[in-house]
Amino acid sequence: MAKKSTVFGGTQLQKGDDLLRINDLSVHYISRDTGVSKAVNHVTLSLKKGETLGLVGETGAGKTTIALSILRLLDSPPGKVVSGTIEYKGKDLYKLRKRDMEQIRGFEISMIFQDPMTALNPVDTVGEQISEVIRLHDDCSKAEAKVKAGDMMEMVGIPRERYDEYPHQFSGGMIQRIVIAIALACSPELLLADEPTTALDVTIQAQVLDMMNELKSKLGTSVLMITHDLGIIAEMCDRVAVIYAGEVVELGNLEDIFHQTAHPYTQGLFDSLPNSAGDSKRLKPIKGLMPDPANLPVGCKFCERCPYATEECSKTSPELTEITPGHWVRCYHQSCFRKEKAIHE
Amino acid sequence: MSEQPILEVRNLKKYFPVSAGIVHAVDDVSFTIQKGKTLGVVGESGCGKSTLGRTVLHLQESTAGQILFEGKDITHVSRAELTALRRKMQIIFQDPFSSLNPRMSLYQAIAEPLRIMTDAKEKEIEDRVFDIMKIVGLAERYVNAYPHELDGGRRQRIGIARALIMNPSFVVCDEPVSALDVSIQAQILNLMRDIQDERQLTYIFVTHDLSVVKYISDDIMVMYLGQMVEKATTDELFEYRLHPYTKALLSAVPLPDIDHEKKHIELKGEITSPINPKPGCRFAARCPYATERCFKENPVAEEVRPQHFVACHRVRELNGLA
């Protein structure tokens, strides 16, 4: 039934193989008014088949830009990929023809956007919007697509009787389920989830996250989970990349990031959380603000806010270094930082 | 209960007529706050938490009930009395991106309340603006900046400065940190706490974020569809959550801790409509423990442990309380 994408022929990946490889990706936004904003700087990441990788960071860190670059959906101009490659199943996505890329979007890789209320077409029924994706990618009749769309609705917990209703007739949580149903309609191998639950209430968020976990294990989808919430990371991800000012500053599995924290910024994120304050009645925020991407410091990007910064940090930028297998850190002082932390604990 | 509370709210109701019926945004809510304390009001969107804060401040007229501020009944006040009251009761809004006038510089925005409510001379205004800027942590160089030139954290500091410049004794904080990143959020929460300690301020802190409410509040009130379902001191509430909704709400929060066992108490469906609510417990349709009685009779809040109020018919039975 499914017209398998011609782009990848019979590429078969085993669990544990790299599905996606981002190599040295840099993205700039170039505008006459603000100059060159360096949104993403030399990011190297890989995502294995069946794995969930979290991208965590604050507003403006470049998380969404990374996701949009994977799908080649950057607004250009002003956005421009200035260096690097993105390989999916071993093929460089930026070398594909436009037509082939259209086959990949929604079929191989799909995306859930942050704000569900603006992600759907308000003048089309939700059922039509799901079956449209199915018709675009599968060789099937309208009637077949409708049945399949109804199946998808039921899978995300919405009765198929509501096929002919419009987006405004649903609540935010239900709309987000529809958006997820659209994203999963063609069983993509990779799902880019950009803050999928940020606009939702916590009890609805819990429903959506539980559902995503269930679908993930059922369909074997790999997920790139973009969030600012370390709680969601703890609940959903296998590995985490902490992004700061367009760079990966720390990368590792959950144990590395949560228990063997090695970058002062990651530690700062944890210390800022009210629930980690425990009995102490004061939070320990990171001082200052993220640097302006149009005017990044030459040395370590976190240098100005870092309590451990030395002269070296302000002069040259540290490289991402592997400190234990699979745990990478971009910091000159990670070893003394970790020693000090161990003493405190 | 030795001291007289700074604010006492009795059976407060706020209904909005809409085309489909009447929205029971706040329905029979009562509470008291002692001076210098923080009452956290927590709940999901549409539970009436913001309306509650605004009604207490007379930004909206209440439909029924009584509001006592510093021992005085302020439910119905004249315009002149209201102006006087506004000096003592202020609000910090959620979204620092839309609550500031984009055409007013930082100085104009902070000075505006003084110009409206006092007849202070320009020199005095200037002194007070610079004083308050120092207190909320805004550098003097920003004095002529416009909101669009500032980041969210600084904008929220302006919102706080505007609320504090009249030296109020009571402030409603309506989701003041929800639009901010965690590192900035922590800065603002620390600031609000410091100012509270220094000035003996009383806060109503409205939020959907349970970790924030736990951090900032002395007492917490959980709301669901316009009604209070549970209220207790912060430590008591997090230790002994008794209402089924509170339990589900607290279990739904993803914790930044990889050792804790992830177990959501899943609620069926979504929040129902506050338009013409049916008799019975508002939570019954989603409650795993609802019985026939829950659909017929609206539970009244009872004190089931000292200073711990719960509105649930089955609270004693479900939690093994006498």
Side-chain angles (χ1 to χ4, degrees):
Chain A
M1 177 176 99
K3 165 177 78 180
K4 253 302 163 195
S5 143
T6 46
V7 189
F8 296 104
T11 319
Q12 279 297 321
L13 289 181
Q14 304 298 318
K15 204 173 165 123
D17 288 351
D18 279 348
L19 180 68
L20 181 79
R21 250 184 244 128
I22 302 176
N23 208 341
D24 194 39
L25 178 74
S26 295
V27 182
H28 293 177
Y29 290 101
I30 302 160
S31 92
R32 207 179 296 159
D33 297 339
T34 53
V36 179
S37 275
K38 296 176 178 167
V40 176
N41 302 300
H42 308 287
V43 165
T44 299
L45 286 172
S46 66
L47 179 61
K48 290 183 173 47
K49 193 169 161 45
E51 182 184 51
T52 299
L53 172 69
L55 289 189
V56 65
E58 298 179 275
T59 318
K63 307 177 301 272
T64 302
T65 303
I66 294 173
L68 292 174
S69 319
I70 296 170
L71 281 173
R72 284 173 61 182
L73 284 177
L74 275 180
D75 280 330
S76 179
K80 193 164 187 268
V81 175
V82 292
S83 81
T85 55
I86 298 176
E87 281 176 37
Y88 174 76
K89 291 187 178 171
K91 280 214 168 68
D92 187 344
L93 292 177
Y94 277 76
K95 292 206 173 105
L96 294 181
R97 288 175 304 168
K98 250 189 164 160
R99 274 200 43 165
D100 291 337
M101 198 61 214
E102 276 163 20
Q103 275 304 309
I104 285 182
R105 291 190 200 115
F107 195 72
E108 293 275 348
I109 308 175
S110 60
M111 181 150 174
I112 304 171
F113 294 91
Q114 174 167 0
D115 183 359
M117 299 320 258
T118 59
L120 292 182
N121 181 347
V123 297
D124 212 348
T125 66
V126 296
E128 269 305 303
Q129 294 186 56
I130 303 173
S131 71
E132 182 189 5
V133 184
I134 298 169
R135 285 204 308 278
L136 270 176
H137 291 292
D138 283 2
D139 244 342
C140 63
S141 70
K142 238 180 151 163
E144 280 168 343
K146 186 170 175 174
V147 173
K148 206 174 161 204
D151 293 344
M152 288 309 296
M153 287 175 71
E154 284 191 339
M155 188 171 82
V156 296
I158 293 173
R160 65 195 320 138
E161 290 72 39
R162 304 193 65 179
Y163 185 94
D164 288 320
E165 290 183 26
Y166 291 87
H168 74 269
Q169 292 168 291
F170 293 85
S171 66
M174 293 182 117
I175 290 285
Q176 194 59 304
R177 287 157 188 263
I178 302 275
V179 170
I180 292 172
I182 292 175
L184 295 178
C186 292
S187 321
E189 297 211 28
L190 173 59
L191 183 63
L192 311 176
D194 187 4
E195 306 260 8
T197 56
T198 304
L200 307 176
D201 275 320
V202 287
T203 59
I204 309 301
Q205 164 170 292
Q207 289 175 5
V208 170
L209 292 181
D210 284 348
M211 184 192 82
M212 282 182 71
N213 266 334
E214 215 171 276
L215 294 175
K216 221 170 63 187
S217 54
K218 203 154 94 192
L219 307 173
T221 317
S222 314
V223 181
L224 186 69
M225 185 77 177
I226 297 176
T227 179
H228 65 279
D229 186 333
L230 287 160
I232 292 181
I233 294 281
E235 212 155 281
M236 301 288 290
C237 299
D238 304 308
R239 284 194 307 139
V240 194
V242 182
I243 313 285
Y244 184 78
E247 288 182 338
V248 177
V249 294
E250 185 164 2
L251 172 71
N253 61 27
L254 287 184
E255 171 66 27
D256 296 335
I257 302 293
F258 283 77
H259 290 165
Q260 307 294 327
T261 315
H263 196 285
Y265 175 64
T266 316
Q267 189 59 44
L269 284 181
F270 282 117
D271 290 343
S272 298
L273 295 174
N275 31 8
S276 65
D279 293 336
S280 107
K281 280 299 177 191
R282 264 189 90 76
L283 299 171
K284 286 185 282 171
I286 307 171
K287 60 176 185 192
L289 298 169
M290 202 177 324
D292 177 1
N295 191 13
L296 289 176
V298 277
C300 171
K301 313 271 186 291
F302 187 59
C303 163
E304 277 176 27
R305 305 175 74 185
C306 182
Y308 305 91
T310 57
E311 216 182 319
E312 186 186 19
C313 305
S314 63
K315 285 188 177 142
T316 52
S317 175
E319 294 292 317
L320 198 59
T321 330
E322 190 166 22
I323 53 168
T324 53
H327 187 182
W328 297 74
V329 183
R330 188 189 294 278
C331 178
Y332 287 127
H333 304 300
Q334 56 84 15
S335 55
C336 38
F337 164 68
R338 290 169 73 205
K339 238 178 251 155
E340 197 175 304
K341 206 180 142 224
I343 293 166
H344 277 302
E345 278 163 8
Chain B
M1 282 294 164
S2 52
E3 240 177 292
Q4 180 191 27
I6 186 166
L7 185 80
E8 184 167 0
V9 169
R10 294 184 191 147
N11 307 96
L12 190 72
K13 292 184 184 178
K14 177 64 192 172
Y15 295 172
F16 295 102
V18 295
S19 57
I22 290 170
V23 177
H24 294 224
V26 174
D27 211 354
D28 210 358
V29 171
S30 306
F31 59 87
T32 57
I33 313 177
Q34 300 295 330
K35 188 169 171 55
K37 299 285 183 193
T38 301
L39 173 71
V41 179
V42 59
E44 297 180 278
S45 31
C47 73
K49 55 191 190 302
S50 289
T51 306
L52 176 70
R54 284 159 193 243
T55 310
V56 169
L57 288 186
H58 277 269
L59 291 175
Q60 288 152 344
E61 285 307 311
S62 52
T63 309
Q66 218 182 2
I67 307 165
L68 285 89
F69 181 69
E70 294 176 340
K72 190 166 159 276
D73 189 334
I74 59 158
T75 322
H76 306 284
V77 287
S78 69
R79 199 147 175 101
E81 287 172 303
L82 191 57
T83 312
L85 213 53
R86 288 266 159 84
R87 288 176 201 180
K88 296 187 184 162
M89 306 173 95
Q90 285 287 332
I91 182 164
I92 300 169
F93 292 101
Q94 168 170 14
D95 185 355
F97 296 86
S98 63
S99 62
L100 293 174
N101 184 339
R103 303 177 62 160
M104 272 194 191
S105 70
L106 186 154
Y107 181 86
Q108 289 170 317
I110 299 178
E112 195 189 19
L114 289 175
R115 292 190 205 285
I116 294 172
M117 303 226 232
T118 68
D119 39 19
K121 297 276 182 310
E122 196 53 46
K123 180 73 187 84
E124 193 199 335
I125 292 181
E126 196 183 306
D127 290 346
R128 285 180 69 176
V129 170
F130 280 103
D131 276 352
I132 202 85
M133 281 177 68
K134 201 182 276 167
I135 291 169
V136 301
L138 284 164
E140 284 190 14
R141 65 177 183 279
Y142 294 112
V143 70
N144 290 316
Y146 284 85
H148 73 271
E149 299 173 276
L150 301 172
D151 60 278
R154 290 212 175 86
R155 279 189 243 202
Q156 197 55 294
R157 288 175 197 267
I158 302 179
I160 295 172
R162 271 168 69 91
L164 293 183
I165 196 149
M166 297 306 300
N167 261 324
S169 50
F170 171 75
V171 181
V172 171
C173 315
D174 188 1
E175 304 258 17
V177 296
S178 305
L180 307 175
D181 273 317
V182 291
S183 69
I184 310 300
Q185 173 178 305
Q187 295 173 3
I188 299 290
L189 287 174
N190 273 347
L191 171 68
M192 295 183 69
R193 259 200 126 113
D194 292 345
I195 294 173
Q196 176 170 42
D197 289 348
E198 246 159 61
R199 306 188 161 206
Q200 277 291 299
L201 276 178
T202 309
Y203 289 146
I204 286 188
F205 200 101
V206 173
T207 182
H208 69 281
D209 188 326
L210 289 150
S211 54
V212 168
V213 85
K214 181 179 179 186
Y215 172 72
I216 198 114
S217 311
D218 299 296
D219 296 295
I220 295 179
M221 175 160 91
V222 182
M223 286 184 72
Y224 189 80
L225 278 181
Q227 297 185 324
M228 181 197 101
V229 296
E230 187 159 1
K231 182 176 170 273
T233 62
T234 302
D235 295 340
E236 165 85 12
L237 189 81
F238 276 85
E239 188 76 13
Y240 305 99
R241 35 195 97 161
L242 300 179
H243 194 283
Y245 176 66
T246 313
K247 289 181 189 182
L249 188 69
L250 295 185
S251 83
V253 182
L255 291 179
D257 173 4
I258 53 175
D259 298 327
H260 117 107
E261 201 195 338
K262 293 138 203 162
K263 188 89 192 82
H264 298 153
I265 300 172
E266 186 135 348
L267 289 179
K268 295 173 278 180
E270 309 205 356
I271 198 160
T272 43
S273 158
I275 300 173
N276 299 340
K278 295 188 195 85
C281 174
R282 306 252 161 110
F283 184 60
R286 295 176 78 190
C287 181
Y289 311 105
T291 59
E292 212 174 306
R293 183 180 174 208
C294 301
F295 286 94
K296 282 186 185 146
E297 208 181 303
N298 198 2
V300 183
E302 298 176 68
E303 186 168 2
V304 292
R305 289 171 50 89
Q307 289 304 305
H308 191 154
F309 298 86
V310 182
C312 173
H313 291 309
R314 299 188 64 193
V315 59
R316 291 174 198 276
E317 167 199 351
L318 291 171
N319 295 289
L321 296 166

